[in-house]
Structures are given as structure tokens and as C-alpha cells.
């Protein structure tokens, strides 16, 4: 199963979110990719549960409200399904029986609002001057996980601008429901209120600084576009970036969008259920784990399989300076990332996996020895103040962020040890 390049390529199958976002984005940009849309729809419809729902996890027998809303919305926006179709009626019944749109996850509400199907919170405005804060300010953007940073930035732009795409669909199912509280989790506590008060103080700055904040947020996204056109190599972040740039005035036919969609389409893979858009292929991770596992099982480090795999890993070591340099200015590059398309977003578990794969070969190969030394030095430089390691960056876990009233804030927003 090993490729000629030495890597192993397996499906990194996640929930249907990326499949749904692909359909919606293609329709939003008026891209004619009918075969892709048809294949994605076929897959989505084929895994609908008997009760009309869709699940995120295989053992989620009763279905998932947010996943069901995502699937229903993608099917409706595709133009291939209407409210009168049996699959859609069953989905509507499930959604209503489980609390309706108001009970959906925050990120699902963002998707709906961006597509004109859910009202933005009238009170919401995130101060764009936040994107001008220097790294030494305690609540700056580099004190949260880079995964959150790269997803929340385009979401904030779209929400601030109240941006929405209009689709020629029957949206009556959405309009007849109450559009309730955007943030389901109550965090009426000291630290949550402290953060809100800090944001209010940041908001009370001249308009010109807010305009500069938009420019800074736009620059943040543009400078983090990967070689294949995706944002940070994530399909999900790329879709949100598209809407943020549209909100900032970019035309639908802009070359950035052309390249971004082409890059995400490279993540398409066949699964047992049908076509799936991976959020970020796992090629480096899989190859590092398999090389090490085969060596642990007794395969010689000089076996052609191991030599090819490690040659691939050596090519994927990263020497571009990324966001990690902000919290670890003393570190030198040398880590590994997760996917084949990732060139400047190393992470600690992939780096550790690659080092294990190369640990035996460093004794016989100077090239492997040099790579191993640079990689291990990088990993040591990423150690947090508390002695542990996060997933991506060093000390990117301001505890106050865990108290924000967003679902899974602790898991999603901070990169603690």
C-alpha cells in the first residue's frame, strides 16, 4: 500500500461538515462542479439515519442536531432537493423535535447566517482593534490555539459585516423558526465577564483603528494561505476565509477563490460511503506512525520500505518560520506537520512521530541524524512553562479564553498542555 514517494495515503474521514461546506461554497461562488456536487449529495443521502437525522459519530444512534442541519442546508442549497422530498421532510421533523435551529452549535449558526438562513445577533460586534494587539498583551490572538485563530478570524469578519449570500431556495423552514441565543453555554462568571469587559475597552477606540484591524485580519489570512491555495491547509478554514474575503469586497471570480476551491478538491477521497472532502489529509502522520511501527515489529531500518518512508519524511521536515515563532522566538525550525500540503504549520505530535521513525536511522545516516537533531531541538523549544506540551504552539493557552460562552471553548480555543 506504500506509494512510490514512500508515503502511505489513507482516508482521514471526518464528519459531513466539510462535504456540506463544499456544496454550499460551490453554489455560493457559482462554480460549475456538478459531478462533485452529485457525488457528495449521494454520499450524504446514503448515510441519513432512519429517524431523519445525520450523526457525527458512528455510535451516535439517535443522531446529531447540528450535523442534520448542515446536511439539510447543503441539500437545499444544492438545488437538487426541495422541502417536499421525503429525506428533507424527515430531516425537518428531527430538527423540530430536537429544539430547532436555536439549539444548533455556534459554528452551524455561523454557516446558516453566512447563507442568509439565520439572523446574526444584533448586539454582536467584535472589536477589530484586537487584531492590532502586540504579542506581549496578555489576551492577544497568539494566546489561543492556532486552529481557533485561523477559523475564528474569518468568522469574526463575516459576523461583524453581517455578510450573507442569497440563494434561490425556499427558505421558509428557517424563517418560521425562532432565532434564539447564539451562544448556548452560559458562563456567568468572573473570568468570562472580565474578558467581555476587556473587549469593550478595546472596542472604544477610533474608527480608523477598527479599519486598520480589518486590514490586519485580512493580511493574517492572506499570509497563511498554503501553496495549494488552502488556508493553513484546512478545508474548513478555507471555506470561512472565502466568505470573509467576500465580506471584504472580493469578487466571486477572484483567483484566490479559484485556487482555494481547487486546493480543497484535492482533498476529495473515496470512502465506503462515497466521496468525502477530508479536512486535511493525514499523509505525514500516517507515514511516520507506520514507519516506526514496522521498525518496532522487526523490519530493518535498511529495508527499502523504511528507507523510502523516511526519505519522504525527511522531505517533509519544515524550515519555514510560522506562527509558532511568536511564543517561541528562541526556537529554530525543524518540526513536521500533519498533511502533505502543510508547509509552515508544524505540530508537536507529528514531530514526535517523525522523530521516532528516524531514531534508528540517525545512527547510520548523517542526513537523518541532522534532521533528527533539528527536529528534537524544535520539539524541546516548544515545551510550555508548566512542563507539558500543547498540540501546536508554545504557551498558547490563556486560561480566560476557556470561559467564553462558546461550546467546547476549552477544547477548541486553547492549546494547553
Amino acid at each position: 500500500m506504500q506509494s512510490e514517494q514512500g508515503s502511505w495515503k489513507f482516508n482521514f474521514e471526518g464528519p459531513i461538515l466539510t462535504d456540506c461546506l463544499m456544496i454550499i461554497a460551490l453554489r455560493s461562488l457559482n462554480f460549475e462542479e456538478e459531478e462533485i456536487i452529485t457525488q457528495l449529495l449521494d454520499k450524504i443521502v446514503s448515510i441519513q439515519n432512519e429517524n431523519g437525522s445525520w450523526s457525527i459519530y458512528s455510535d451516535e444512534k439517535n443522531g446529531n442536531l447540528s450535523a442534520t442541519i448542515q446536511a439539510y442546508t447543503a441539500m437545499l442549497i444544492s438545488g437538487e432537493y426541495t422541502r417536499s422530498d421525503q429525506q428533507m421532510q424527515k430531516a425537518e421533523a428531527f430538527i423540530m423535535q430536537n429544539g430547532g435551529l436555536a439549539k444548533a452549535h455556534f459554528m452551524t449558526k455561523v454557516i446558516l447566517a453566512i447563507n442568509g438562513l439565520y439572523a446574526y445577533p444584533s448586539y454582536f460586534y467584535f472589536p477589530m482593534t484586537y487584531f492590532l494587539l502586540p504579542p506581549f498583551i496578555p489576551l492577544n490572538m497568539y494566546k489561543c490555539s492556532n486552529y481557533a485563530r485561523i477559523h475564528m478570524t474569518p468568522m469574526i469578519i463575516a459576523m461583524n459585516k453581517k455578510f450573507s449570500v442569497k440563494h434561490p431556495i425556499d427558505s421558509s423552514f428557517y424563517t418560521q423558526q425562532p432565532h434564539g441565543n447564539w451562544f448556548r453555554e452560559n458562563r456567568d462568571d468572573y473570568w468570562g465577564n472580565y474578558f467581555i469587559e476587556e473587549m469593550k475597552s478595546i472596542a472604544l477606540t477610533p474608527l480608523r483603528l477598527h479599519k486598520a484591524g480589518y486590514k490586519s485580519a485580512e493580511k493574517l489570512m492572506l499570509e497563511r494561505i498554503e501553496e495549494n491555495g488552502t488556508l493553513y491547509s484546512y478545508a474548513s478554514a478555507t471555506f470561512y476565509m472565502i466568505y470573509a474575503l467576500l465580506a471584504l469586497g472580493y469578487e466571486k471570480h477572484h483567483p484566490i477563490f479559484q485556487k482555494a476551491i481547487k486546493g480543497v478538491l484535492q482533498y476529495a477521497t473515496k470512502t465506503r460511503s462515497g466521496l468525502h472532502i477530508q479536512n486535511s489529509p493525514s499523509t505525514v502522520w500516517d507515514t511516520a506512525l507506520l514507519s516506526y511501527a514496522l521498525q518496532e515489529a522487526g523490519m530493518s531500518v535498511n529495508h527499502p520500505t523504511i528507507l523510502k518512508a523516511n526519505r519522504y519524511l525527511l522531505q517533509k521536515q519544515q524550515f519555514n518560520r510560522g506562527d509558532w515563532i511568536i511564543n517561541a522566538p528562541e526556537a529554530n525550525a525543524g518540526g513536521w506537520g500533519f498533511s502533505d500540503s502543510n508547509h509552515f504549520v508544524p505540530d508537536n505530535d507529528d514531530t514526535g512521530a517523525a522523530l521516532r521513525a528516524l531514531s534508528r536511522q540517525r545512527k547510520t545516516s548523517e542526513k537523518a541524524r541532522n534532521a533528527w537533531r533539528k527536529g528534537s531541538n524544535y520539539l524541546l523549544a516548544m515545551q510550555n512553562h508548566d512542563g507539558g506540551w500543547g498540540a501546536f504552539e508554545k504557551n498558547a493557552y490563556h486560561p480566560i479564553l476557556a470561559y467564553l460562552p462558546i461550546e467546547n471553548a476549552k477544547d477548541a480555543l486553547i492549546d494547553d498542555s
Side-chain angles (χ1 to χ4, degrees):
M1 299 177 76
Q2 189 180 29
S3 72
E4 282 299 313
Q5 292 76 32
S7 63
W8 281 274
K9 297 184 179 181
F10 295 105
N11 297 336
F12 181 45
E13 189 171 2
I16 58 170
L17 172 65
T18 46
D19 304 329
C20 297
L21 288 175
M22 184 85 254
I23 293 169
I24 295 168
L26 289 173
R27 287 291 185 245
S28 299
L29 296 171
N30 301 322
F31 281 22
E32 295 183 2
E33 293 283 355
E34 299 310 309
E35 185 178 346
I36 293 291
I37 290 175
T38 298
Q39 289 186 57
L40 290 173
L41 287 171
D42 288 346
K43 180 268 187 81
I44 291 170
V45 171
S46 73
I47 60 173
Q48 185 178 23
N49 297 322
E50 191 61 37
N51 66 354
S53 70
W54 278 263
S55 300
I56 291 180
Y57 305 104
S58 58
D59 60 352
E60 200 172 22
K61 302 303 181 186
N62 295 324
N64 182 281
L65 176 62
S66 292
T68 303
I69 293 171
Q70 294 161 15
Y72 177 91
T73 302
M75 291 167 67
L76 194 65
I77 289 177
S78 75
E80 301 299 321
Y81 290 87
T82 66
R83 289 192 65 188
S84 61
D85 288 311
Q86 183 183 11
Q87 299 96 329
M88 303 292 277
Q89 290 182 350
K90 290 174 68 176
E92 286 187 9
F94 176 86
I95 293 168
M96 296 304 293
Q97 290 165 8
N98 288 272
L101 304 178
K103 293 293 184 181
H105 190 281
F106 162 75
M107 290 181 72
T108 299
K109 289 174 183 170
V110 173
I111 295 167
L112 295 180
I114 284 173
N115 288 280
L117 301 172
Y118 200 80
Y120 282 108
S122 58
Y123 56 84
F124 181 88
Y125 178 77
F126 190 93
M128 294 306 294
T129 43
Y130 178 78
F131 292 94
L132 302 176
L133 294 179
F136 60 81
I137 298 294
L139 286 174
N140 77 84
M141 73 180 81
Y142 295 100
K143 290 302 179 185
C144 70
S145 79
N146 62 15
Y147 187 87
R149 182 165 64 244
I150 211 64
H151 282 80
M152 293 302 293
T153 297
M155 284 187 199
I156 286 168
I157 292 172
M159 290 181 71
N160 272 3
K161 296 284 187 180
K162 303 290 190 289
F163 173 80
S164 65
V165 177
K166 303 303 179 186
H167 298 279
I169 57 173
D170 176 6
S171 60
S172 55
F173 177 66
Y174 301 90
T175 56
Q176 69 191 17
Q177 294 187 56
H179 292 189
N181 184 11
W182 263 68
F183 307 101
R184 295 188 314 188
E185 296 192 12
N186 294 318
R187 299 204 189 279
D188 188 15
D189 49 56
Y190 174 80
W191 288 116
N193 291 332
Y194 174 82
F195 181 84
I196 291 170
E197 291 304 314
E198 285 295 305
M199 288 297 103
K200 285 180 181 178
S201 66
I202 294 173
L204 297 174
T205 49
L207 181 61
R208 60 183 175 80
L209 291 181
H210 286 269
K211 290 181 178 179
Y214 277 110
K215 282 292 182 185
S216 180
E218 178 185 1
K219 184 170 180 259
L220 184 149
M221 292 186 295
L222 295 180
E223 289 182 346
R224 287 157 180 79
I225 294 176
E226 270 286 1
E227 294 175 10
N228 68 347
T230 62
L231 180 60
Y232 239 59
S233 80
Y234 296 125
S236 51
T238 304
F239 292 128
Y240 293 122
M241 175 189 71
I242 288 170
Y243 294 114
L245 294 179
L246 287 171
L248 292 173
Y250 284 61
E251 297 294 333
K252 289 185 177 182
H253 57 265
H254 197 284
I256 286 179
F257 301 151
Q258 302 281 340
K259 190 174 182 181
I261 292 296
K262 185 178 179 181
V264 175
L265 285 175
Q266 292 172 358
Y267 296 170
T269 182
K270 291 289 179 69
T271 71
R272 281 179 287 185
S273 302
L275 192 69
H276 175 59
I277 303 296
Q278 302 169 95
N279 197 37
S280 182
S282 56
T283 316
V284 176
W285 174 245
D286 293 335
T287 303
L289 292 180
L290 284 164
S291 172
Y292 178 63
L294 289 171
Q295 293 175 64
E296 284 288 290
M299 185 175 280
S300 168
V301 70
N302 294 315
H303 191 285
T305 296
I306 303 301
L307 291 175
K308 282 172 63 177
N310 287 0
R311 191 179 307 124
Y312 167 83
L313 291 175
L314 290 171
Q315 293 169 354
K316 288 300 171 180
Q317 190 171 21
Q318 297 183 10
F319 296 107
N320 295 319
R321 290 159 69 89
D323 286 346
W324 50 267
I325 202 72
I326 300 295
N327 292 331
E330 77 287 358
N332 292 314
W336 278 264
F338 181 71
S339 67
D340 210 39
S341 56
N342 176 338
H343 294 88
F344 54 84
V345 191
D347 56 76
N348 295 331
D349 46 357
D350 280 286
T351 299
L355 290 174
R356 291 195 294 277
L358 295 169
S359 61
R360 289 178 173 89
Q361 192 176 3
R362 81 182 197 274
K363 298 172 184 176
T364 59
S365 163
E366 185 178 356
K367 188 172 184 180
R369 184 161 54 251
N370 290 335
W372 192 92
R373 186 180 68 254
K374 290 175 182 177
S376 58
N377 286 340
Y378 170 82
L379 195 58
L380 288 169
M382 289 297 118
Q383 187 175 22
N384 290 332
H385 290 326
D386 65 7
W389 276 263
F392 294 97
E393 296 171 5
K394 180 177 182 176
N395 298 326
Y397 57 106
H398 200 296
I400 291 178
L401 296 173
Y403 291 89
L404 292 181
I406 297 175
E407 296 96 326
N408 314 115
K410 185 179 186 302
D411 296 328
L413 292 183
I414 62 175
D415 187 15
D416 54 347
S417 292

